[in-house]
Amino acid sequence: MNSEKAFSFFKLLRIENATLPLLSFFIGLGFAGTFNNKFNSYVIIVLIALTAYATLQNDIKDKLIDIANKRTSSYIDGTFSKQFIQHVCWYLLLLVAITVLLSQSVLLGVGAYIALALTIAYNIKPFQFSRKPISSIVVLAILLGFIPALLGLGTDIAFTSVWLLVILGLSLQRFSLSILKDYKDYIGDKKYNKKTFLLTYGPNATKTVSILFGFIGYLSILMAFMIQFNNIWIVALLVMCAAFSIWYRFSLGANNKRNTHVFINAQKINALFELGFIGCLFIL
């Protein structure tokens, strides 16, 4: 494989898709207070590998929709065949299995197994959650928020109300962002009758749910921070960033091209909030 093809392969994996689960994991770690832990390295590898696996599986199942949306990739243009991608998926699962065994962690093993089961059910019949308007978003919230946060929090044995607030907050936040992803696939989803939340309930409901769940998600995370660290000044700064993230989503409207930009920028704003949040957890 030459350097150009290797670069195309790396782009196809879209490692950046692991940003949300990794942020969830590090926030959980921050509340648990166990940053210097060998277990963390194993979790990071598993989260990246499972996200890459899910991305490739979705590429295979949604190829026609991606073509309709005029999306380009090294799979669509034929650089890499379906058989090659399926082989890569098996190698990714092997990497996950080896990493879990090396970690000797029951928590990571159970988390990885549940995440893999949901990922498979997301794209494959009879479940095929990706074709169900609410189930698809719930599964993404679990994969991107609930499980990674639990893996981070699980490094601390003590179970507290802060756990519940962090897990609830991150899961709702992931739900509120994932529900906006359908804007970028609107044309292809409509052409192939993919029952997304946007196509089923309309843009107004999508906007309202994203704002409402985003608000509750941020509120839960900030409450957890206040309970554990009781630092009103840092919370005040984080509140301003969270408020801007929610306010920005009010610009969602009838223009799908504009809404796609809002979705992309909403992800970036949320990432900045959570990176700042993680920084505060490190400091405290």
Side-chain angles (χ1 to χ4, degrees):
M1 185 183 292
N2 58 41
S3 58
E4 185 177 344
K5 201 167 184 179
F7 181 70
S8 296
F9 174 70
F10 183 77
K11 283 180 64 178
L12 187 66
L13 291 176
R14 301 198 286 291
I15 303 300
E16 67 273 11
N17 287 351
T19 300
L20 287 178
L22 287 175
L23 286 172
S24 297
F25 173 63
F26 279 112
I27 288 174
L29 277 180
F31 279 101
T34 51
F35 288 105
N36 298 315
N37 192 320
K38 190 177 180 181
F39 171 76
N40 302 347
S41 301
Y42 293 125
V43 175
I44 291 169
I45 293 171
V46 168
L47 290 177
I48 292 175
L50 284 176
T51 303
Y53 171 82
T55 298
L56 294 177
Q57 286 296 315
N58 198 61
D59 284 348
I60 293 173
K61 294 298 178 182
D62 284 351
K63 183 178 181 179
L64 293 177
I65 292 176
D66 289 340
I67 292 173
N69 287 320
K70 299 181 180 179
R71 196 160 295 152
T72 58
S73 74
S74 51
Y75 171 52
I76 292 175
D77 65 20
T79 302
F80 298 110
S81 66
K82 178 180 177 180
Q83 184 180 24
F84 174 83
I85 292 177
Q86 288 174 328
H87 285 158
V88 172
C89 287
W90 282 112
Y91 285 125
L92 288 169
L93 293 183
L94 180 61
L95 175 60
V96 170
I98 292 172
T99 304
V100 169
L101 288 174
L102 288 174
S103 73
Q104 299 181 331
S105 168
V106 175
L107 175 65
L108 181 56
V110 173
Y113 176 80
I114 295 173
L116 177 59
L118 287 174
T119 299
I120 293 172
Y122 187 78
N123 282 309
I124 297 176
K125 294 180 179 179
F127 300 103
Q128 208 165 21
F129 291 127
S130 63
R131 267 59 178 174
K132 299 175 182 179
I134 297 178
S135 299
S136 61
I137 310 301
V138 170
V139 169
L140 289 175
I142 294 172
L143 292 174
L144 303 177
F146 183 90
I147 292 176
L150 192 60
L151 289 174
L153 289 164
T155 56
D156 180 14
I157 304 301
F159 180 85
T160 66
S161 59
V162 170
W163 272 46
L164 296 177
L165 286 170
V166 172
I167 291 172
L168 174 66
L170 288 171
S171 298
L172 291 178
Q173 192 52 251
R174 300 308 180 245
F175 190 103
S176 76
L177 288 171
S178 297
I179 205 171
L180 301 179
K181 71 179 180 59
D182 297 330
Y183 284 113
K184 63 183 176 63
D185 299 325
Y186 181 84
I187 295 174
D189 289 343
K190 187 174 183 180
K191 180 178 179 179
Y192 289 97
N193 195 32
K194 186 176 180 180
K195 296 186 182 300
T196 63
F197 191 96
L198 176 62
L199 286 173
T200 304
Y201 300 104
N204 288 333
T206 301
K207 173 181 176 179
T208 301
V209 170
S210 177
I211 291 172
L212 178 61
F213 279 35
F215 173 78
I216 299 173
Y218 281 129
L219 181 63
S220 298
I221 296 170
L222 291 170
M223 284 177 62
F225 187 90
M226 193 61 189
I227 291 172
Q228 182 149 329
F229 299 105
N230 194 28
N231 191 315
I232 189 65
W233 298 109
I234 291 180
V235 169
L237 290 173
L238 292 171
V239 163
M240 288 190 287
C241 187
F244 178 71
S245 177
I246 296 299
W247 171 81
Y248 184 73
R249 299 182 201 185
F250 278 95
S251 61
L252 290 164
N255 187 319
N256 278 317
K257 189 173 182 180
R258 161 68 178 165
N259 292 337
T260 298
H261 288 297
V262 173
F263 162 63
I264 294 171
N265 289 333
Q267 284 189 308
K268 292 177 180 178
I269 294 168
N270 180 73
L272 287 173
F273 167 84
E274 293 186 1
L275 284 171
F277 195 89
I278 291 169
C280 293
L281 293 173
F282 267 106
I283 293 170
L284 298 175

